[in-house]
């Protein structure tokens, strides 16, 4: 199964090369990858429908509990089939849609990479693995929306989608980690077994909130929905695949996956049902306010996602069953309608529904595909959309308010179906300016096949009963009986649902008659739409950038001395700890004081004071020399002749270099005020005091270092050297010394280059 | 005696940091040099201080005989002295060049990278 997931990534690697080699036929050839995956997953249908779960796992990062663990159950298989099946059609469609686009190879690669990420997401049985694939879908989505990267609008839409979804992703990561802590595992089946433990855990509310935040951003729940209509800047194959059929369902999928773990609380119920219902109704209405074909479809997608969220939130067996059916039916008809929108755009150069009409003569086969998909979208007998709507109504019978909301949303959906499947194809035939040739097979195959699939799944719905039952049962945690038939019998619920369907149809027709009125309403409500959540997002983003600029200006001011000051002041609190009573510093004893050393210390201190106070640069260099020689003599007196020798040599060289360079450096000048000098003196003195305390504390702790004994013993037998310090440098730690030599060489080269460098305009 | 050394180290730190907080380029470099001495002495004094017994194995002996000065900090400081010298030389030349190009003698005038 790992190879099935990775096949898409491998395909992404070869796609650009294959496209270069194959030219126009590349779409048909590359579609073999998703097609093979479709067949592979379809081969599991009988087993999974019978209730089996296929597992595959291998350790990845065992120390962190991250396991490459995949699981093919009912829900996973339905999604996997949709992803690979629609992916096949989309790859072919993209080949026709973007024929001649120089970036087509890249688009194939991204589409296949996305497909693999999405498959990984729906098949993961490990929370961390799931999250990795989740983020991969966000990133591929970002790159695909920004396909036309020359266009600023596309870049902005891509960035917006990325920011919204990865912010949600961040929340999700936190939620999943907390879930892992609460359940003490990242393994999904294991967590399901520990659901009572999780429900009683104090972290439970935080987990639900964070997971819901992740799912809501990805599945475009209001008020975070705005990135999805924006994402319509993407080329239509991308919109059809990612932003209607698959990726946007990832959030819903996540909720469905975690429902057995998290469902059952008021919080979960309230969040999902509340936001889901709001999204369902409001965005269905907003769909009627648009005139751009793709944006109309985008808002109905948001509405369907709201319905799914609501159904999962309800969590009754009937609602979960309806959710599964709706996922399948919606993916089929919505992808088809998007592809139709793409063909129309391609042929006429416009997506404005008010300017389109009579396309049936120019686009006969497309009209058939669009008609089939629209009938399914409108929920008419005998299409799969009808099954979805019936099961939804049946599930909502106990909740009259939700039922009413759902009828309203579906009636708006009916209006949209009529516009997309009827209005633009009928009426006066229109001159097609762009491209009078026939629509290539690559373009019309998608909508036609999906339209037929929507019809067949409606008529032969009973064939899917097993897998739907499996998926719904997993989510509900109990056996859910599923009967999928166009005629449900004479029971009260069935008849009521059927009656509501008829009512929805009539209401939809009424809305269609009033479409002109609705669009006029859109014009008068425009001021409100201009102030939608996306505006808030823009303002928030701008404010964030300003904040970043402001704090950068505060922190990165460019004054070297204030950087040093900040570091030193940060150090000072350590001194408080060291000086506190009971710290190892106390009591301070002076012990025996040697005359020679005391004299040396006095020399060093006096030289330092001289360096600080003199006005002459040359005198200061002499003072520095005094400090250096004094320190060298201190080394000598404490049994470190090597250090003393080195220090003498270096000190001599330093003084020579200083003298050589010094006359080219500016003279001392007093540039600061007296108050500033006083402040710096206080801070520097405090820092010095801290260091003194630090040394005292270290001395009170010190014994011989543990490694020193080793050097003391091994120096002669192992390295044949009597000067232990030298042996350490050239033998035991010779690699360090080599590094030191390299540093010196680099510094010397730097000095040489700087000396050779002459400023512009200066004569050689 | 160790305490006296600790006081000296503190004083060198204070002097080094004070000089580095000046606006004058030359004082900054002087501060850097003094700070280098302070750091080396810190490593030296943080170990065990032993007077007049360098870590050299006498002829005929197979290992060091206590008391001996700890060889490890000495090895570290030896490296530090040499590296410090490299840094000092590089800084000196760099500032000389920066002064030559920009004409500035005040560090506050060197805040931006892209103007002369």
């Amino acid at each position: 199964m790992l190879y099935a997931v990775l096949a898409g990534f491998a395909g992404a690697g070869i796609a650009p090369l294959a496209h270069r080699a194959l030219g126009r036929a590349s779409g048909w050839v590359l579609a073999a990858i998703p097609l093979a995956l479709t067949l592979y997953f379809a081969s599991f249908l009988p087993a999974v429908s019978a209730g089996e779960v296929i597992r595959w796992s291998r350790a990845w990062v065992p120390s962190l509990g991250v396991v490459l663990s995949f699981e093919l159950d009912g829900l996973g298989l339905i999604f996997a089939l949709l992803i690979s099946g629609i992916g096949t059609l989309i790859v072919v469609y993209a080949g026709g849609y973007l024929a001649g686009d120089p970036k087509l190879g890249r688009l194939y690669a991204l589409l296949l990479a996305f497909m693999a990420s999405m498959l990984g997401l729906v098949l993961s049985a490990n929370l961390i693995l799931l999250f990795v694939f989740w983020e991969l879908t966000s990133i591929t989505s970002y790159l695909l929306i920004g396909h036309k990267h020359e266009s600023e609008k596309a870049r902005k839409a891509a960035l917006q989608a990325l920011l919204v979804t990865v912010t949600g992703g961040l929340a999700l990561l936190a939620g999943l980690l907390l879930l892992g802590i609460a359940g003490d595992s990242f393994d999904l089946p294991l967590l399901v077994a520990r659901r009572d433990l999780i429900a009683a855990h104090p972290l439970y509310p935080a987990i639900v909130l964070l997971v819901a935040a992740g799912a809501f951003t990805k599945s475009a729940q209001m008020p975070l929905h705005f990135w999805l209509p924006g994402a319509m800047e993407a080329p239509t194959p991308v919109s059809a695949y990612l932003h209607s059929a698959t990726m946007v369902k990832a959030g819903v999928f996540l909720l469905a996956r975690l429902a057995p773990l998290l469902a059952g609380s008021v919080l979960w119920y309230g969040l999902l049902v509340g936001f889901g219902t709001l999204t369902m109704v409001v965005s269905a209405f907003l769909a009627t306010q648009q005139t751009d074909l793709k944006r109309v479809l985008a808002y109905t997608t948001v509405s369907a996602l709201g319905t799914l969220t609501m159904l999962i939130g309800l969590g009754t067996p009937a609602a979960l069953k309806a959710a599964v059916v709706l996922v399948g039916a919606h993916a089929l008809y919505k992808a088809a309608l998007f592809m139709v929108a793409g063909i129309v755009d391609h042929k006429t150069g416009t997506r404005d529904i008010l300017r389109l009409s009579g396309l049936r003569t120019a686009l006969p086969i497309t009209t058939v595909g669009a008609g089939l998909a629209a009938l399914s979208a409108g929920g008419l007998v005998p299409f799969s959309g009808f099954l979805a709507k019936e099961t939804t109504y049946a599930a909502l019978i106990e909740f009259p308010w939700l039922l009413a909301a759902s009828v309203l949303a579906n009636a708006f959906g009916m209006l949209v179906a009529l516009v997309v499947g009827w209005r633009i194809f009928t009426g006066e035939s229109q001159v097609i300016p762009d491209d009078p040739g026939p629509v290539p097979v690559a373009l019309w195959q998608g909508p036609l096949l999906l339209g037929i699939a929507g019809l067949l799944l409606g008529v032969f719905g009973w064939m899917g009963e097993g897998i739907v039952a499996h998926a719904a049962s997993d989510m509900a945690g109990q056996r859910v009986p599923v009967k999928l038939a166009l005629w449900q019998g004479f029971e009260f619920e069935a008849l009521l649902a059927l009656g509501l369907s008829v009512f929805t149809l009539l209401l939809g027709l009424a809305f269609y008659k009033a479409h002109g009125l609705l669009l006029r309403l859109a014009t008068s409500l425009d001021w409100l739409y201009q102030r939608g959540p996306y505006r808030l997002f823009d303002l928030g983003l701008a404010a964030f950038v300003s904040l970043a600029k402001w704090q950068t200006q505060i922190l990165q001011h460019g004054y070297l001395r204030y950087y040093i000051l900040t570091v030193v002041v940060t150090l000072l609190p350590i001194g408080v700890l060291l000086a506190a009573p009971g710290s190892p510093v106390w009591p301070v004893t002076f012990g025996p004081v040697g005359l020679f050393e005391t004299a040396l210390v006095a020399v060093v201190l006096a030289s330092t004071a001289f360096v600080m106070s003199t006005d002459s640069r040359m005198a200061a260099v002499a003072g520095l020399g005094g400090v250096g020689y004094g320190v060298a003599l201190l080394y000598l007196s404490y049994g470190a002749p090597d250090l003393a020798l080195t220090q003498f040599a270096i000190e001599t060289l330093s003084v020579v270099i200083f003298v050589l360079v010094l006359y080219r450096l500016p003279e001392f000048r007093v540039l600061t005020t007296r108050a500033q000098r006083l402040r710096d003196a206080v801070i520097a003195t405090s820092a010095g005091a801290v260091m003194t305390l630090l040394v005292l504390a270290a001395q009170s702790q010190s014994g011989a270092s543990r490694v020193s004994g080793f050097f003391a013993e091994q120096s002669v037998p192992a390295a044949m050297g009597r000067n232990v310090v030298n042996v350490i440098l050239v033998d035991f730690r010779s690699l360090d010394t080599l590094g030191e030599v390299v540093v010196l060489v680099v510094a010397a080269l730097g000095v040489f280059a700087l000396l050779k460098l002459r400023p512009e305009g200066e004569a050689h | 005696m160790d305490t006296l050394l600790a006081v000296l180290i503190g004083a060198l730190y204070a002097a080094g940091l004070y000089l580095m907080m000046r606006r004058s380029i030359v004082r900054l470099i002087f501060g850097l040099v003094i700070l280098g001495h302070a750091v080396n002495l810190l490593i030296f004094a943080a170990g065990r201080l032993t007077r007049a017994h360098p870590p050299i194995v006498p002829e005929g002996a197979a290992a060091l005989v206590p008391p001996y000065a700890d060889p490890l900090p000495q090895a570290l400081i030896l490296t530090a002295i040499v590296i410090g010298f490299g840094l000092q030389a590089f800084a000196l030349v760099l500032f000389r060049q920066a002064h030559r190009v920009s004409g500035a003698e005040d560090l506050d005038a060197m805040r931006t990278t892209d103007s002369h």
Side-chain angles (χ1 to χ4, degrees):
Chain A
M1 205 179 294
L2 178 68
Y3 297 111
V5 173
L6 294 183
F9 289 122
I14 57 160
L17 303 171
H19 173 59
R20 212 170 297 156
L22 296 165
R24 294 190 70 87
S26 55
W28 293 96
V29 177
L30 284 170
I33 298 170
L35 182 64
L37 286 173
T38 314
L39 297 175
Y40 170 75
F41 287 119
S43 72
F44 291 106
L45 262 173
V48 174
S49 296
E52 246 184 80
V53 176
I54 288 103
R55 291 203 168 83
W56 186 97
S57 87
R58 186 166 294 174
W60 187 17
V61 193
S63 54
L64 294 176
V66 181
V67 183
L68 277 178
S69 141
F70 296 104
E71 188 177 82
L72 196 59
D73 58 357
L75 195 66
L77 183 55
I78 290 175
F79 270 94
L81 281 172
L82 287 173
I83 293 160
S84 51
I86 296 178
T88 311
L89 306 180
I90 289 290
V91 169
V92 174
Y93 181 84
Y97 191 84
L98 290 168
D101 185 327
K103 290 184 304 225
L104 181 55
R106 211 181 67 123
L107 186 89
Y108 283 136
L110 288 171
L111 278 176
L112 290 172
F114 165 76
M115 182 189 71
S117 320
M118 196 67 206
L119 282 174
L121 168 60
V122 299
L123 298 177
S124 296
N126 180 288
L127 291 182
I128 302 297
L129 192 62
L130 185 147
F131 177 76
V132 170
F133 285 117
W134 175 281
E135 291 292 275
L136 278 173
T137 63
S138 289
I139 294 164
T140 39
S141 158
Y142 164 71
L143 294 170
L144 282 166
I145 298 172
H147 176 74
K148 283 178 280 186
H149 56 70
E150 312 83 9
S151 145
E152 197 197 331
K153 238 178 135 182
R155 289 202 305 270
K156 199 178 158 219
L159 187 65
Q160 191 181 56
L162 182 75
L163 287 176
V164 173
T165 50
V166 299
T167 308
L170 205 58
L172 176 67
L173 177 63
L176 293 180
L177 290 179
L178 292 183
L179 188 56
I181 292 169
D184 195 28
S185 170
F186 288 118
D187 186 52
L188 260 170
L190 202 63
L191 286 169
V192 173
R194 293 179 186 164
R195 59 157 300 154
D196 296 330
L197 196 73
I198 295 162
H201 202 277
L203 286 173
Y204 174 83
I207 295 172
V208 170
L209 283 171
L210 289 167
V211 166
F216 286 1
T217 52
K218 195 85 162 183
S219 278
Q221 296 300 296
M222 290 198 165
L224 299 169
H225 66 286
F226 54 88
W227 69 266
L228 185 54
M232 295 299 124
E233 287 299 321
T236 304
V238 176
S239 308
Y241 193 33
L242 274 72
H243 305 122
S244 77
T246 56
M247 187 190 92
V248 289
K249 297 224 173 71
V252 173
F253 171 82
L254 181 81
L255 294 175
R257 259 281 183 259
L258 297 182
L261 287 173
L262 301 175
S265 70
V266 179
L267 181 66
W268 170 270
Y269 184 90
L271 271 179
L272 268 61
V273 175
F275 281 100
T277 312
L278 175 82
T279 307
M280 171 177 77
V281 179
V282 175
S283 57
F285 171 73
L286 288 176
T288 69
Q289 304 286 291
Q290 307 292 325
T291 53
D292 179 321
L293 199 48
K294 279 180 79 178
R295 287 181 75 91
V296 171
L297 292 172
Y299 274 105
T300 57
T301 306
V302 176
S303 174
L305 294 169
T307 311
L308 287 168
T309 305
M310 175 195 73
L311 288 170
I312 293 171
L314 283 176
T316 59
L320 295 174
K321 181 182 80 175
V324 177
V325 178
L326 182 57
V327 162
H330 177 261
L332 296 181
Y333 70 69
K334 194 50 68 64
L337 289 179
F338 265 108
M339 289 196 235
V340 168
I343 297 172
V344 168
D345 187 14
H346 216 45
K347 284 286 152 188
T348 64
T350 179
R351 297 198 302 249
D352 188 340
I353 52 172
L354 299 176
R355 291 175 55 202
L356 293 165
S357 67
L359 293 172
R360 67 183 184 287
T361 46
L363 311 169
I365 307 175
T366 310
T367 309
V368 175
L372 290 171
L375 287 170
S376 187
L380 266 77
V381 190
F383 291 86
S384 56
F386 173 76
L387 287 179
K389 194 172 54 170
E390 287 298 288
T391 47
T392 306
Y393 286 169
L396 295 177
I397 279 175
E398 305 156 50
F399 313 97
W401 285 105
L402 296 182
L403 189 61
S406 176
V407 168
L408 189 62
N410 272 315
F412 285 130
M414 175 74 78
L415 157 69
V416 169
L418 282 166
V419 168
V420 181
W422 175 258
R423 178 177 165 152
I424 62 174
F425 291 101
T426 55
E428 225 174 285
S429 186
Q430 167 195 13
V431 187
I432 294 181
D434 265 23
D435 178 5
V439 179
V441 190
L443 288 181
W444 58 253
Q445 50 84 30
L448 192 67
L449 288 174
L450 288 175
I452 293 171
L455 176 63
L456 292 179
L457 284 178
V459 176
F460 302 104
W462 51 270
M463 290 180 73
E465 281 171 1
I467 187 146
V468 170
H470 185 177
S473 306
D474 281 348
M475 281 153 68
Q478 65 184 81
R479 195 91 216 103
V480 178
V482 172
K483 185 160 164 265
L484 294 176
L486 297 170
W487 176 248
Q488 292 276 354
F490 285 104
E491 283 128 33
F492 169 70
E493 279 95 8
L495 288 178
L496 183 65
L498 196 61
L500 281 171
S501 273
V502 175
F503 178 66
T504 308
L505 182 67
L506 295 174
L507 194 60
L509 284 171
F511 282 152
Y512 182 62
K513 285 283 170 215
H515 193 201
L517 211 63
L518 283 168
L519 286 175
R520 268 209 296 285
L521 184 67
T523 329
S524 50
L525 283 179
D526 195 48
W527 61 271
L528 181 66
Y529 298 148
Q530 294 302 324
R531 285 164 178 75
Y534 78 94
R535 185 87 193 107
L536 206 64
F537 175 85
D538 282 352
L539 290 175
L541 199 62
F544 189 70
V545 172
S546 317
L547 178 75
K549 268 189 191 151
W550 174 78
Q551 66 102 19
T552 306
Q553 273 166 2
I554 298 277
L555 294 177
Q556 304 298 329
H557 40 65
Y559 292 103
L560 181 65
R561 60 208 162 95
Y562 290 124
Y563 290 134
I564 297 171
L565 197 84
T566 312
V567 174
V568 173
V569 169
T570 316
L571 177 84
L572 294 182
I574 299 175
V576 179
L577 287 178
L578 286 171
S583 103
V585 171
W586 314 112
V588 176
T589 51
F590 267 81
V593 176
L595 187 65
F596 180 57
E597 286 86 1
T598 314
L600 283 177
V601 168
V603 167
V604 172
L605 284 175
S607 308
T608 309
F610 183 64
V611 172
M612 293 176 71
S613 59
T614 180
D615 289 336
S616 153
R617 292 168 301 170
M618 205 51 87
V621 170
L624 272 185
V627 175
Y629 287 120
V631 170
L633 286 170
L634 270 172
Y635 288 141
L636 192 61
S637 112
Y638 281 102
D642 297 291
L643 294 190
L645 283 175
T646 315
Q647 187 72 59
F648 279 132
I650 293 289
E651 212 48 55
T652 313
L653 265 177
S654 287
V655 171
V656 171
I657 288 182
F658 263 114
V659 170
L660 281 176
V661 175
L662 204 64
Y663 74 98
R664 291 179 182 273
L665 283 170
E667 286 185 31
F668 282 159
R669 262 181 52 200
V670 178
L671 295 160
T672 40
T673 64
R674 208 183 160 76
Q676 282 172 330
R677 288 200 297 278
L678 190 66
R679 175 199 65 197
D680 293 349
V682 169
I683 290 170
T685 310
S686 316
V690 172
M691 296 318 289
T692 299
L693 288 171
L694 196 66
V695 175
L696 289 174
Q699 283 173 344
S700 73
Q701 303 291 311
S702 75
S705 67
R706 261 171 288 173
V707 276
S708 296
F710 167 82
F711 293 133
E713 280 166 26
Q714 294 298 319
S715 188
V716 174
M720 307 292 180
R722 298 199 168 272
N723 183 331
V724 181
V725 175
N726 285 1
V727 168
I728 292 175
L729 284 172
V730 300
D731 198 308
F732 292 122
R733 309 292 309 159
S734 57
L735 215 56
D736 288 356
T737 309
L738 181 68
E740 178 195 348
V741 172
V742 172
V743 169
L744 273 188
V745 170
V746 171
L749 285 173
V751 167
F752 181 71
L754 277 171
L755 286 176
K756 281 282 173 194
L757 181 85
R758 284 171 194 281
E760 287 163 47
E762 193 173 303
H764 283 256
Chain B
M1 190 61 223
D2 291 0
T3 309
L4 190 63
L5 208 56
V7 172
L8 174 68
I9 292 167
L12 287 177
Y13 262 101
L17 289 172
Y18 178 80
L19 286 174
M20 286 182 79
M21 282 188 269
R22 299 301 89 213
R23 279 165 66 177
S24 153
I25 296 173
V26 188
R27 285 209 160 97
L28 171 70
I29 299 172
F30 288 173
L32 207 61
V33 175
I34 293 179
L35 198 69
H37 287 307
V39 174
N40 290 344
L41 281 175
L42 174 76
I43 301 172
F44 196 58
R48 188 182 46 169
L49 283 179
T50 311
R51 285 196 60 192
H53 289 285
I56 294 172
V57 184
E59 284 296 332
L64 281 179
V65 189
Y68 56 87
D70 195 343
L72 187 65
Q74 293 194 20
L76 292 176
I77 296 164
L78 212 137
T79 307
I81 292 173
V82 179
I83 296 278
F85 171 68
L87 174 74
Q88 183 188 319
F90 186 77
L92 200 60
V93 176
L94 183 70
F95 278 115
R96 192 202 87 142
Q97 204 66 11
H99 171 61
R100 197 162 135 200
V101 171
S102 67
E105 54 188 286
D106 180 355
L107 281 169
D108 283 8
M110 293 189 184
R111 287 175 56 207
T112 52
T113 49
D114 51 4
S115 62
H116 281 210

